[in-house]
Amino acid sequence: MAKKRTQHIIQEDEVEIGPFQLLLMFGDSREEDIHLFTHSFFCDCGDENRKLVNYKSYISNLNDVILKGWCSSCKTIAIRYIETGERQGIEKVSDRIRKLNKS
């Protein structure tokens, strides 16, 4: 079996966003969305009670959100890619966040 990486790769087009900015990206459904995303991600360990922990949030050039953290069960790196770029009005929010965080 292939060995998992021990560090995340940060792509050039990814900009780190803070917890408040992450909540802004999801709007009214933010509480449920964050819970869903941190509890549903792929990991080889197969534990049903795993959770994405110690994650950092990033926004891509497609206005998608990427959560990069660790699996609470097996303690290896894990990632959750969330396609938010197609949500109505997300461009304005993500563009403002991107400009703020790049400066």
Side-chain angles (χ1 to χ4, degrees), residues 39-99:
H39 286 80
S40 63
F41 60 93
F42 176 78
C43 185
D44 289 340
C45 72
D47 185 0
E48 293 180 18
N49 297 319
R50 69 185 185 277
K51 182 179 178 184
L52 188 64
V53 295
N54 299 330
Y55 62 87
K56 290 185 178 183
S57 310
Y58 298 87
I59 187 170
S60 74
N61 64 343
L62 298 174
N63 300 328
D64 293 335
V65 173
I66 304 127
L67 305 178
K68 296 183 179 188
W70 299 86
C71 175
S72 63
S73 182
C74 67
K75 311 293 188 249
T76 60
I77 65 171
I79 187 168
R80 179 65 155 97
Y81 195 92
I82 307 152
E83 294 180 350
T84 56
E86 296 176 3
R87 294 174 84 169
Q88 187 136 356
I90 201 74
E91 315 86 32
K92 290 180 183 178
V93 174
S94 58
D95 286 344
R96 291 182 75 185
I97 290 172
R98 191 176 288 105
K99 285 178 187 173

Side-chain angles (χ1 to χ4, degrees), residues 20-32:
F20 180 70
Q21 294 170 327
L22 178 63
L23 294 177
L24 287 175
M25 292 291 295
F26 293 108
D28 294 336
S29 63
R30 60 185 165 252
E31 300 289 326
E32 301 85 28

Side-chain angles (χ1 to χ4, degrees), residues 38 76 103:
T38 57
T76 60
S103 56

Side-chain angles (χ1 to χ4, degrees), residues 11-23:
Q11 303 299 326
E12 286 183 27
D13 69 327
E14 295 174 351
V15 175
E16 188 173 348
I17 61 176
F20 180 70
Q21 294 170 327
L22 178 63
L23 294 177

